[in-house]
Amino acid sequence: MGLAVLMFYLYDVSYEVVGKEPHILLWGIDEVGNRVVIRDRGFRPYFYVVTSSDVELTRVVNEIRRLSSVKSPIINVEVVPKKLFGRPLNVIKVTTTVPESVREYREAIRKVGGVADVLEADIRFSMRYMIDKGLFPCSWFEAEVSEIRKHPSIAVTKEYELVGEFKPLNIHKPPHIRVLAFDIEVYNPRGVPKPERDPVIIISMMNSEGDVKVLELSGDTVKNDSRIISEFMDYIQTYDPDVIVGYNSNRFDWPYLIERSKVLGIRMDVGRVRDGVPRTSVYGHISIPGRLNVDLFDFVEEIGEIKVKSLDVVAEYLGVMRRVDRVLVPWYEISKYWDDLSKREVLIRYAVDDVKSTMGIAEKILPFAMQLSSLTGLPLDQVGSASVGFRLEWYLMRSAYRYSELIPNRVERFYEPYKGAIVLEPVKGVHENIAVLDFTSMYPNIMIKYNVGPDTFVEYDCSDELCNVIPEVGYKFRKDPPGFYKAVLETLLNMRKAVRELMKEFPQDSVEYRVLDERQKALKVLANASYGYMGWVGARWYFRQGAEAVTALGRDIIGKAIEIARELGLRVIYGDTDSLFVSYGPPVERFIDLVMDRLGLEIKVDKIYRRIFFTEAKKRYIGLTVDGLVDIVGFEAVRGDWAEIAKEVQELVAYSILAEGSVSKAVDLVNNVIRELREGRIPLDKLIIWKTITKPLSDYEVSSPHVSAARRLLDMGGRVEVGDKVGYVIVKGGGSISSRAYPYISVRAEDIDADYYIDHQIVPASLRILEYFGVSEKQLKTISRGVKTLFDFSRRG
């Protein structure tokens, strides 16, 4: 149909094998909004063979050629120059036709005499293509293409065949991406629902245009749910979303729908290709052909400030929907609300609020996720479920390709401990007007400054002129040429600076500004992960000596910074990893200048505390910022056996002490909560204790409370698997705590053992802070007056 230059926004890459020929499929949106696929028939899978140094390459090449099979012929074997950890060497590049055959060839070639290793045979074919072609998802490109007849099995507007090469475009504004949020409610009269037994009763959906659609079973009783599942699939195919979002959907909604559809004999076809059935793929995410399935929970898991990750709590935290403004229904009562026709409308409103919350969270998270995808090269549906280490590794793999570095294999290793970052002893007591000074990207800048990396590490005698010698550990790193890590990190940090400069050209309320802001945040996350990655035993570029060297340098730099602060008369209250807590005043600006001048590193004021309290323990303080926010570090009731009421009381105590300066008011507050608990006025959901089942129940020799509750849940017809969180409460009665631990879905409010929650939850959580102010357990259990104030205790030093 003629050649054309196509401008398109790439969002995913997949492949299919036609005969013995692999076809790469690039999924995108063109400049006028058409959904398109570009087919490339010319790319072939390959890998590298490293031989022993004394082996004749020609012999190995000939033996490899003889391994060629008809199923997937070896079409090329050639010797090419590469580098391995910076060391130049000649390796053998082996190219075949069918991607799935690469692993078979890898195992066969490893048995050839003289072969030391086989590398890059474990890189997925579609990712291999993107690396080699310099393609990044969620980015704009231009390519010379030829329009071809659209294959009937692919549901897009146009299909093209690639003719030329790709050219990246400097466009920051994404096209209009159709997003569909969904959430399901399942009938669960026996506790945890089972897809082989319990039907889906409601599916709520919301699209990018703000339209909300609710599918529900009809009639007064639970009937076959095949109709609403089929209508759900029809809606997806009709609306044709590019991105489908859910909350915990990779772990619950999709697996449940997939299994339920099998029970009902329905083909769950929701992709943009024939047989577009969702399947579990890498990193445990559910893959939908031609669409991007994003589980927002993956990103929320990384927000440490959110202690409870339920949809309603997260939506409130992110400013999407307040809990007091929405309908809340305990999941264990869903079937009751469904069976009671007078309550069913409430359940429908609950489902609508859930899907609106899901879409609202998506609007907050997707811009960052898209920039993270664009930087790492991982498609949007994978980047969230992949760990931070894997995200950085894909970026490193792309960099390795550009520098002709071979990508090491991932191997199993045992953890090797090493000395970590410095944490200073805090000055105990209450302090006012304290600045927290943070080194900017401290560890990445250390790695750059000292050229730390496996390819620059030397174990022979090396002069100070040629090598950086690391204090304390004595490791040596060549100063020149720049190592792999240094080159990569300089690129990341320079990119971030450039993006932040570019942001100044756009209004803060513009789409371009918001996209660039998310990009600079993603760049910061990647750069800061580099040090931890070196010490991660699962890393391809694992390098314990490098991680050890960086922490040693960090300790040395913090020590020198403290000396500078003391020269200027600044009182150092505390220090942790890459930050210092100092008395705030005019010398702080001079301190910042001297650190840059003497140490060559940037440090800046991160926050200022109006009042802060330290115990004698490291990593434990509570602070009130000048903005009126309370930070609780090290005191938090975050253990697995703390109930939500304990966490809430602790936060209120911290605020009362620091913001209002009143210990007695904090004690009264605890007394009031205890009184409300005894009177049965604390909601049951705040008393639930959540704990994870880490192994099969039969393997537990001691029946701890959560195990007892899990076994009772099984007796009720529930399902408990390894990795599940079990929610339980403690009820009245005699015997051990374990004997009184019951699944919360089986307990009435009047059954709760108030004394347990007072003695083991509220009082201990409060005393974690209040005991340092002389408050006793007895005072917390009685209405007290005359407790000294914070300011009385601040005189302790």
Side-chain angles (χ1 to χ4, degrees):
M1 299 184 185
L3 300 180
V5 175
L6 178 70
M7 189 170 83
F8 69 101
Y9 182 86
L10 177 68
Y11 65 82
D12 199 11
V13 176
S14 61
Y15 76 94
E16 62 183 11
V17 177
V18 181
K20 293 181 182 177
E21 183 180 67
H23 292 191
I24 288 286
L25 301 176
L26 298 103
W27 301 84
I29 304 171
D30 70 17
E31 57 185 316
V32 295
N34 292 318
R35 272 56 187 173
V36 300
V37 158
I38 302 170
R39 187 179 294 268
D40 186 352
R41 306 169 187 260
F43 192 70
R44 297 292 180 268
Y46 66 87
F47 55 93
Y48 296 102
V49 179
V50 181
T51 59
S52 304
S53 57
D54 57 347
V55 168
E56 183 185 354
L57 288 174
T58 304
R59 177 185 64 79
V60 179
V61 166
N62 290 334
E63 287 196 41
I64 290 173
R65 285 198 176 109
R66 284 196 287 270
L67 293 173
S68 181
S69 78
V70 175
K71 184 172 69 174
S72 176
I74 293 176
I75 56 177
N76 193 32
V77 185
E78 59 180 325
V79 177
V80 297
K82 300 289 283 186
K83 288 182 289 182
L84 183 59
F85 295 109
R87 178 174 59 90
L89 73 168
N90 289 323
V91 297
I92 301 169
K93 180 179 180 181
V94 181
T95 306
T96 182
T97 56
V98 178
E100 284 72 16
S101 67
V102 167
R103 291 184 180 182
E104 296 176 18
Y105 279 126
R106 176 185 63 189
E107 299 310 312
I109 291 173
R110 276 179 172 161
K111 299 174 183 176
V112 172
V115 169
D117 209 348
V118 179
L119 301 179
E120 304 196 16
D122 59 347
I123 300 174
R124 302 193 306 275
F125 185 58
S126 57
M127 296 298 289
R128 172 86 270 174
Y129 181 85
M130 286 198 284
I131 290 172
D132 289 23
K133 298 292 184 178
L135 293 173
F136 291 84
C138 299
S139 304
W140 285 95
F141 292 92
E142 192 176 79
E144 189 175 14
V145 297
S146 174
E147 187 172 356
I148 59 177
R149 186 185 303 278
K150 187 171 72 69
H151 197 282
S153 67
I154 299 179
V156 293
T157 307
K158 293 183 179 181
E159 185 174 347
Y160 300 92
E161 186 160 356
L162 183 69
V163 176
E165 294 299 316
F166 298 101
K167 175 186 174 184
L169 300 175
N170 193 27
I171 300 174
H172 305 295
K173 188 175 181 179
H176 173 65
I177 296 172
R178 291 195 291 265
V179 180
L180 178 68
F182 85 104
D183 186 72
I184 70 171
E185 310 301 339
V186 178
Y187 194 64
N188 58 345
R190 295 182 236 183
V192 178
K194 294 185 177 182
E196 62 269 24
R197 177 188 67 201
D198 300 312
V200 177
I201 52 177
I202 300 172
I203 303 177
S204 53
M205 296 174 285
M206 182 175 182
N207 62 31
S208 297
E209 288 67 45
D211 300 325
V212 175
K213 186 174 182 62
V214 179
L215 304 173
E216 58 178 296
L217 285 183
S218 57
D220 296 341
T221 58
V222 176
K223 296 182 179 179
N224 187 298
D225 49 341
S226 58
R227 177 187 58 81
I228 64 168
I229 293 177
S230 297
E231 288 182 6
F232 171 64
M233 294 189 296
D234 291 343
Y235 187 88
I236 290 175
Q237 297 296 0
T238 302
Y239 179 65
D240 194 25
D242 308 299
V243 180
I244 300 177
V245 297
Y247 192 80
N248 203 35
S249 51
N250 279 337
R251 298 160 184 82
F252 179 72
D253 301 70
W254 280 119
Y256 201 95
L257 285 170
I258 293 167
E259 289 304 310
R260 185 66 186 159
S261 297
K262 291 177 183 176
V263 171
L264 298 170
I266 300 172
R267 190 172 190 77
M268 175 61 66
D269 193 350
V270 292
R272 278 181 169 152
V273 300
R274 186 178 297 157
D275 190 25
V277 177
R279 294 181 176 89
T280 302
S281 188
V282 292
Y283 312 123
H285 87 286
I286 302 293
S287 176
I288 301 176
R291 307 190 199 279
L292 298 168
N293 166 54
V294 178
D295 188 344
L296 301 168
F297 184 79
D298 291 329
F299 295 94
V300 171
E301 270 197 310
E302 298 175 14
I303 306 176
E305 295 83 356
I306 307 178
K307 306 302 181 189
V308 178
K309 312 287 189 185
S310 62
L311 177 60
D312 54 304
V313 171
V314 173
E316 181 171 61
Y317 179 88
L318 296 176
V320 172
M321 183 182 293
R322 296 193 311 165
R323 295 181 81 232
V324 295
D325 295 334
R326 61 155 297 159
V327 175
L328 291 172
V329 175
W331 71 265
Y332 53 88
E333 292 190 0
I334 285 175
S335 59
K336 295 179 183 177
Y337 275 73
W338 177 262
D339 291 336
D340 187 341
L341 295 182
S342 66
K343 289 185 176 181
R344 190 175 292 184
E345 185 56 38
V346 176
L347 186 61
I348 299 296
R349 295 204 308 273
Y350 165 76
V352 169
D353 285 344
D354 268 3
V355 80
K356 285 183 176 179
S357 296
T358 301
M359 180 60 87
I361 294 171
E363 290 169 352
K364 301 281 186 180
I365 287 176
L366 282 181
F368 171 77
M370 291 165 70
Q371 292 307 308
L372 200 57
S373 172
S374 174
L375 286 167
T376 61
L378 275 169
L380 186 62
D381 58 345
Q382 298 175 29
V383 74
S385 51
S387 68
V388 173
F390 282 126
R391 295 171 194 167
L392 176 63
E393 188 162 88
W394 280 108
Y395 183 85
L396 292 174
M397 289 164 71
R398 287 172 171 272
S399 301
Y401 178 80
R402 293 199 305 273
Y403 296 131
S404 291
E405 275 278 347
L406 286 167
I407 298 169
N409 289 326
R410 182 173 289 109
V411 297
E412 291 187 13
R413 303 180 181 90
F414 292 106
Y415 175 69
E416 299 177 84
Y418 56 89
K419 191 174 179 181
I422 191 169
V423 183
L424 301 178
E425 295 286 344
V427 178
K428 182 183 176 183
V430 178
H431 309 276
E432 299 198 4
N433 206 26
I434 299 297
V436 182
L437 293 156
D438 277 359
F439 282 93
T440 304
S441 300
M442 183 184 194
Y443 285 169
N445 279 310
I446 285 174
M447 292 172 68
I448 291 170
K449 183 177 180 181
Y450 295 91
N451 204 22
V452 174
D455 51 342
T456 59
F457 180 61
V458 297
E459 297 184 85
Y460 51 80
D461 289 337
C462 186
S463 67
D464 291 349
E465 290 76 24
L466 297 177
C467 287
N468 292 309
V469 182
I470 309 305
E472 190 180 331
V473 293
Y475 295 145
K476 298 181 285 291
F477 297 90
R478 288 195 316 271
K479 292 182 177 179
D480 290 302
F484 175 58
Y485 270 115
K486 178 176 180 175
V488 171
L489 288 171
E490 281 183 330
T491 301
L492 278 172
L493 296 182
N494 288 335
M495 283 172 64
R496 186 171 182 233
K497 286 181 181 177
V499 169
R500 296 178 81 173
E501 284 297 313
L502 187 59
M503 287 169 62
K504 297 175 183 177
E505 299 179 12
F506 298 96
Q508 290 191 12
D509 59 350
S510 66
V511 173
E512 289 85 355
Y513 183 93
R514 291 197 298 272
V515 168
L516 290 169
D517 189 32
E518 298 298 341
R519 189 170 188 82
Q520 67 89 13
K521 290 176 188 174
L523 283 161
K524 180 181 179 180
V525 168
L526 281 182
N528 287 341
S530 55
Y531 144 72
Y533 175 81
M534 279 195 302
W536 174 41
V537 292
R540 292 177 186 268
W541 281 276
Y542 173 73
F543 183 43
R544 181 187 57 80
Q545 295 93 329
E548 205 169 10
V550 171
T551 55
L553 286 163
R555 293 191 296 272
D556 183 62
I557 287 166
I558 288 288
K560 290 175 178 175
I562 290 171
E563 291 174 8
I564 296 171
R566 287 172 177 162
E567 281 179 29
L568 298 171
L570 290 171
R571 189 178 183 215
V572 179
I573 306 299
Y574 180 60
D576 186 354
T577 309
D578 59 354
S579 63
L580 289 174
F581 292 59
V582 303
S583 52
Y584 185 60
V588 166
E589 293 302 319
R590 177 66 178 146
F591 172 75
I592 290 171
D593 293 338
L594 284 177
V595 167
M596 173 59 80
D597 183 52
R598 295 185 192 177
L599 305 180
L601 293 171
E602 182 182 348
I603 195 170
K604 66 183 189 317
V605 176
D606 178 56
K607 65 176 67 175
I608 300 171
Y609 286 113
R610 181 152 57 91
R611 193 172 293 124
I612 190 168
F613 165 64
F614 283 98
T615 74
E616 72 283 355
K618 298 177 181 180
K619 295 182 179 290
R620 183 175 292 184
Y621 60 88
I622 55 175
L624 175 69
T625 70
V626 291
D627 299 322
L629 302 176
V630 172
D631 289 336
I632 303 177
V633 177
F635 290 96
E636 306 101 314
V638 294
R639 233 174 39 214
D641 50 359
W642 288 113
E644 183 62 25
I645 188 64
K647 301 170 189 175
E648 286 188 7
V649 168
Q650 190 182 69
E651 290 176 8
L652 290 170
V653 164
Y655 187 81
S656 293
I657 286 179
L658 286 185
E660 301 176 21
S662 174
V663 174
S664 60
K665 189 166 184 177
V667 171
D668 287 344
L669 185 150
V670 178
N671 295 156
N672 290 336
V673 172
I674 290 173
R675 186 184 299 110
E676 289 182 356
L677 182 59
R678 290 196 185 282
E679 295 171 357
R681 291 191 285 131
I682 300 295
L684 184 67
D685 63 341
K686 292 188 178 183
L687 304 177
I688 301 169
I689 301 165
W690 293 94
K691 202 154 187 178
T692 303
I693 298 296
T694 58
K695 55 187 176 182
L697 293 179
S698 58
D699 290 353
Y700 282 94
E701 295 180 6
V702 178
S703 190
S704 54
H706 73 298
V707 174
S708 294
R711 287 173 175 153
R712 287 185 168 113
L713 189 60
L714 284 179
D715 293 339
M716 294 165 55
R719 180 176 60 181
V720 179
E721 297 176 354
V722 175
D724 286 350
K725 281 191 174 183
V726 174
Y728 66 93
V729 291
I730 305 301
V731 301
K732 298 172 186 174
S736 66
I737 291 174
S738 292
S739 69
R740 295 185 285 117
Y742 280 76
Y744 69 94
I745 61 174
S746 65
V747 173
R748 299 170 301 171
E750 54 265 34
D751 297 328
I752 293 296
D753 183 354
D755 288 331
Y756 166 81
Y757 284 93
I758 293 167
D759 295 338
H760 298 278
Q761 297 282 323
I762 294 171
V763 169
S766 303
L767 281 178
R768 284 172 71 86
I769 296 173
L770 288 173
E771 67 180 351
Y772 295 98
F773 295 91
V775 177
S776 68
E777 181 176 339
K778 182 178 179 181
Q779 286 172 303
L780 289 181
K781 292 182 179 181
T782 58
I783 299 176
S784 57
R785 293 289 184 270
V787 179
K788 288 185 178 181
T789 69
L790 170 71
F791 304 103
D792 294 322
F793 289 90
S794 66
R795 299 192 190 100
R796 292 183 177 183

